[in-house]
Structures are given as C-alpha cells and as structure tokens.
Amino acid sequence: MTSTGWPPALKAFVNDAFSRCTDQNKAKVEAELKAVIHSAFSSQKLWSTDWSSVRLASLDTPPPPPSSSDVTPLVGSGLKRKKEIKMPKGKLASATPDMPEDIDRREKRSRRFNNDQAIPSNVGASTSTHYAHSNGYNSPMGSRSIEADANVIDWDRETIVGTSTQLEKPYLRLTTVPNPATIRPLPVLRRTLEMLKTKWRSEQNYNYVCDQFKSLRQDLTVQRIKNDFTVTVYEIHARIALEKGDLGEYNQCQSQLRELYKHGLVGHQLEFVAYRLLYLLHTRNRSELTSVLADLSEVERADEGIRHALQVRSALATSNYCSFFKLYLVAPKMGGYMMDHFAPRERLQALLTMTKAYKSVPLTFLVSQLAFDTESETVQFLNSHQAAHFSPAPTAASTNGNGHQKIERALVCKDAYPALLTAMSKFTKVDIKGQI
C-alpha cells in the first residue's frame, strides 16, 4: 500500500466479493481475500494487478447442499427452495448472530473501502457547525438549514432536556447515562444561579457554593446548553475560585471560557485575558504566554487589566522587584488575587538580590519594598523560610526625642542568604490541578 491508500480497483474488488458471498462461503471468501491481497502486497503488486480480472475460487465453487434450516417451503407446492440472502452493493451489512464479532468488524471495514471517496473532507466542520447551532450560538443560520448528511451525527435527537425543578443538587461525577428526571432545565438553572449568588454574599461557604456550581455546570454540559448564561456561570465561578485561592477550579472554568468566547458569546473576555496573562506568569508557561501575546490586538492591549498584566510581565522580565510590588498593590479587579499566588516567589527572589548586595537590610525597608502590611507579617514570612536572622542596627536618619539614635532590627544578609536560596529552589516547578 502506498501513501495514497488502497487502489480504487482493489476497493471495488473487495466490495464486490463480499456482496456476492453467502453465509455458507463467507468464511472461505474472507480467508481467500486475505491471502490474495497479502500476496499482492508482499510482491508490491497492489497497483499493478488487474483486480477486475481476478477470480476467487471460493466464489466460483457451488455452495454445499442446503441443510433443513436453510430451506423454506413454497406456498401451494411440495417444492422447497433455498433462502436468498440479499446484500445490497456498497452498503454495510448488519451483524448476524452466527458471525464472530471480529470477522464482522473486518467485513465492515472492507466494505467501507468504496465509501472512502464519498465522505466529504469537511465532515468535521459540518458536525461542529451543527453542534453550535443546536446549542443556541449566535448565528444567522438555523440548525434546520443544514442539509441532512449521513456522516453527521444528529445531536439534536440525542440532546437531553432535564425535568427536575430542584434548585439545589450535590455534584456527583456521572458514571451512567444522565437521567432527565435529575437534570434541571435552563429556567430552573437560572433560578439556581440567583440563589447561589445570594448565598455566597450572605454565607461565604465556599465548599457548598463550589459544589453547587459544579453541579450547575454539569447540568449545562449534559444538555449541551452553550449561550450567554453559560458564560455568566463560568465567569462567576471563576471569580469565586480566585477569591478563595482555588486555582485548580479557576483553571477549569478558564479553559471552558476560552472555548465559549471563541464562539462570540457575550462575556467579560478582556478581564479574563488579563487573568490568564497573570496565570501564565505564575506558572512560567513561556510558550503559551508568547502565543497569547501574539494574538493581542491594539484595542485589547489598551484595556486596563491587560495593560497592567503586561507591565507585570515587563517587571518580571527585567527583575525589577520595586516595580513589581508597586503593580501588586494597584492590580485592577481581581488581578491581585492571582498575583497573591506568585508574590511569595518574587519576594524570595527580591530578598536574594538584596542579601547579595548588602550586609544588612532594615526591617522597615523590607516592609515597604516587598509590599507587606506590617513588620510582624514580614518576620513571619522570613520565619516560614528559616531566614529570620536579625540584629539590632542603628539608623542615623531616625532619632528619638532626646536626639539619640533609634535602634531597629535589620536582616543579617550573610546569615539569611543560604536559607533564602534553599527556599527559592522549591519554586522551580508549579503544579496546579487542571493546568493548561
């Protein structure tokens, strides 16, 4: 077989052979076909053989006498005739009870040879288009405007429509075909979302709300509902997950939102592009970051969140920790929640730079430069990495009311550096559930 596939003449030969065989000689025909094709393939004569002139002995040999189970009495006479088995040419025969599954599969594959050329090259595109229309995507065409195609699955016929009216439902991973009685239709899901928003504002119970959102998303998925409401659900869940530091759940929502935005569904796309840029800076996924940057238009780069994320990228690329922590304090929308995840790494990197450059660094300076809220928070951070090595250090700029120098603690750089270096080595790999 060459790179172009099977010879058309061979396909016609195989199809014709299977259409002429009967239950009695089917096994022999298949075995002889296999031997003939293998011989031609081994001798590199698949294309040079005149398959229209090849004859199979198993088809030319008369079938054995019929058994009692193969005859049917003719009405009105004492004669009996053999049952006729008609197999339409070019179509797949259905499996028969007495045919082994593997033989049936090979037969179907052989019969498919002649149908290869009939399958259009854009079958995948047709399926995708039909899928989009049946789910309410914004499109000038209706789902019924597509011509029926035997090669395209009729998803509309397979779509589940839920009948449950329960607003709350725990999330359970599906292991069987969904039961419509346990699935909530779109109107009920809209009410569920409003209920979850109210409960989140009043109770802040993340475990409960996250479980309910996953259940809501599941009901949308099994019913193939993809519209503006679907975008709203994923965006709200993503923001809640960001607020609670659940990057795994956020990432699952983010990946779905990217696909939904591609279909032109209404949402806050620029906001989530900015979050994605910060996410890629956190995970240090440079190849994906480069791809996202290349796709940004001038209009998108002018967006406040995206412009801020690009400035963060520039600060990291130039190791400018002063600029980074200033941007950290003014992150728009929920960008600060995303930066919370890699701010500790950048604090360690900044401390390594300082401890290599100075003998000691005043604690108050660390608080201001690394965007800590208090001195105690700074000390706690250093303690968590076994780098809290302080000594009292006089500062000439600070005096008390009597004119004496004020004594304040300072980080001893040579003592803190080894512990900081060890701590920094733990940030060489970022592992997040659901990372893309």
Side-chain angles (χ1 to χ4, degrees):
M1 184 172 68
T2 67
S3 60
T4 58
W6 295 93
L10 175 56
K11 296 178 183 179
F13 169 69
V14 171
N15 186 73
D16 180 69
F18 273 116
S19 66
R20 293 169 52 199
C21 68
T22 64
D23 282 350
Q24 285 74 29
N25 61 3
K26 185 179 298 182
K28 291 183 179 180
V29 170
E30 184 180 8
E32 188 174 1
L33 267 176
K34 182 177 179 181
V36 170
I37 295 175
H38 182 270
S39 176
F41 178 83
S42 301
S43 59
Q44 298 183 351
K45 294 181 179 180
L46 279 180
W47 289 86
S48 59
T49 301
D50 181 9
W51 293 103
S52 61
S53 62
V54 176
R55 295 291 180 267
L56 297 179
S58 55
L59 288 176
D60 295 335
T61 303
S67 63
S68 58
S69 61
D70 292 328
V71 295
T72 303
L74 295 177
V75 179
S77 70
L79 300 178
K80 295 184 179 181
R81 63 177 174 86
K82 185 178 181 293
K83 286 184 178 178
E84 293 183 3
I85 301 178
K86 296 182 179 180
M87 301 178 66
K89 185 175 182 180
K91 296 185 178 180
L92 302 180
S94 60
T96 55
D98 58 341
M99 183 187 298
E101 182 179 350
D102 56 338
I103 296 178
D104 183 51
R105 184 170 60 253
R106 289 198 298 270
E107 179 184 349
K108 288 182 178 181
R109 186 172 184 276
S110 300
R111 290 179 179 279
R112 199 172 64 237
F113 288 161
N114 270 14
N115 290 332
D116 287 348
Q117 302 300 324
I119 299 177
S121 60
N122 63 342
V123 167
S126 299
T127 304
S128 177
T129 304
H130 189 90
Y131 182 93
H133 294 161
S134 63
N135 277 281
Y137 288 131
N138 299 329
S139 171
M141 297 174 60
S143 60
R144 298 303 177 188
S145 63
I146 302 176
E147 293 184 7
D149 189 337
N151 298 301
V152 178
I153 298 174
D154 184 0
W155 290 111
D156 287 336
R157 186 174 57 188
E158 304 298 331
T159 300
I160 293 175
V161 178
T163 59
S164 174
T165 58
Q166 299 294 322
L167 294 183
E168 298 177 88
K169 187 181 80 169
Y171 170 74
L172 296 173
R173 187 179 297 275
L174 290 175
T175 57
T176 60
V177 176
N179 181 2
T182 64
I183 306 298
R184 294 162 293 184
L186 183 57
V188 177
L189 293 176
R190 291 185 186 276
R191 298 203 305 272
T192 296
L193 178 61
E194 294 303 317
M195 178 205 67
L196 292 177
K197 289 161 61 177
T198 301
K199 285 205 171 187
W200 174 246
R201 285 191 293 265
S202 61
E203 300 176 9
Q204 294 283 305
N205 186 341
Y206 179 68
N207 289 333
Y208 165 80
V209 169
C210 182
D211 181 74
Q212 290 297 314
F213 263 99
K214 291 174 68 174
S215 174
L216 193 160
R217 286 160 42 192
Q218 184 183 71
D219 283 359
L220 289 171
T221 300
V222 298
Q223 295 177 97
R224 301 177 57 251
I225 299 173
K226 293 189 177 181
N227 51 28
D228 295 346
F229 174 74
T230 309
V231 175
T232 300
V233 169
Y234 278 95
E235 287 182 345
I236 293 176
H237 193 186
R239 292 191 189 100
I240 293 175
L242 263 183
E243 183 177 346
K244 302 306 292 185
D246 188 352
L247 275 192
E249 203 62 48
Y250 159 81
N251 196 40
Q252 292 182 33
C253 295
Q254 172 190 245
S255 61
Q256 289 298 318
L257 284 170
R258 290 173 62 201
E259 297 303 316
L260 294 170
Y261 291 145
K262 289 179 182 178
H263 292 285
L265 297 176
V266 177
H268 299 82
Q269 183 173 2
L270 296 183
E271 175 188 350
F272 281 87
V273 170
Y275 298 156
R276 177 156 181 77
L277 288 171
L278 294 175
Y279 174 84
L280 294 173
L281 291 172
H282 168 47
T283 59
R284 292 177 168 174
N285 190 337
R286 293 180 177 84
S287 60
E288 182 65 19
L289 178 62
T290 302
S291 176
V292 174
L293 292 174
D295 292 337
L296 290 178
S297 65
E298 291 302 320
V299 175
E300 291 172 330
R301 288 175 181 271
D303 175 76
E304 178 190 15
I306 294 178
R307 185 172 65 250
H308 172 269
L310 294 177
Q311 291 171 347
V312 173
R313 172 182 173 270
S314 178
L316 292 178
T318 57
S319 299
N320 188 342
Y321 61 83
C322 293
S323 177
F324 174 84
F325 286 106
K326 287 179 181 178
L327 291 167
Y328 177 45
L329 294 175
V330 297
K333 297 179 181 177
M334 303 191 71
Y337 289 104
M338 181 63 76
M339 294 181 71
D340 283 342
H341 292 279
F342 57 104
R345 179 184 70 200
E346 300 310 318
R347 281 172 172 154
L348 285 175
Q349 188 63 59
L351 284 167
L352 281 174
T353 301
M354 293 179 188
T355 52
K356 285 190 291 185
Y358 306 110
K359 283 187 176 181
S360 63
V361 182
L363 184 57
T364 54
F365 179 79
L366 294 179
V367 175
S368 62
Q369 289 296 303
L370 302 183
F372 285 110
D373 292 330
T374 62
E375 290 186 9
S376 60
E377 182 185 355
T378 309
V379 174
Q380 182 180 0
F381 177 80
L382 291 169
N383 272 322
S384 66
H385 299 293
Q386 290 76 48
H389 299 278
F390 294 101
S391 67
T395 57
S398 301
T399 60
N400 56 23
N402 298 325
H404 298 292
Q405 289 181 332
K406 180 182 177 181
I407 304 300
E408 69 171 303
R409 289 193 296 175
L411 183 69
V412 180
C413 296
K414 68 175 182 179
D415 294 337
Y417 180 78
L420 293 171
L421 193 62
T422 301
M424 192 64 199
S425 65
K426 300 176 182 178
F427 288 91
T428 56
K429 182 179 180 181
V430 179
D431 186 16
I432 300 174
K433 180 184 68 173
Q435 182 173 318
I436 57 173

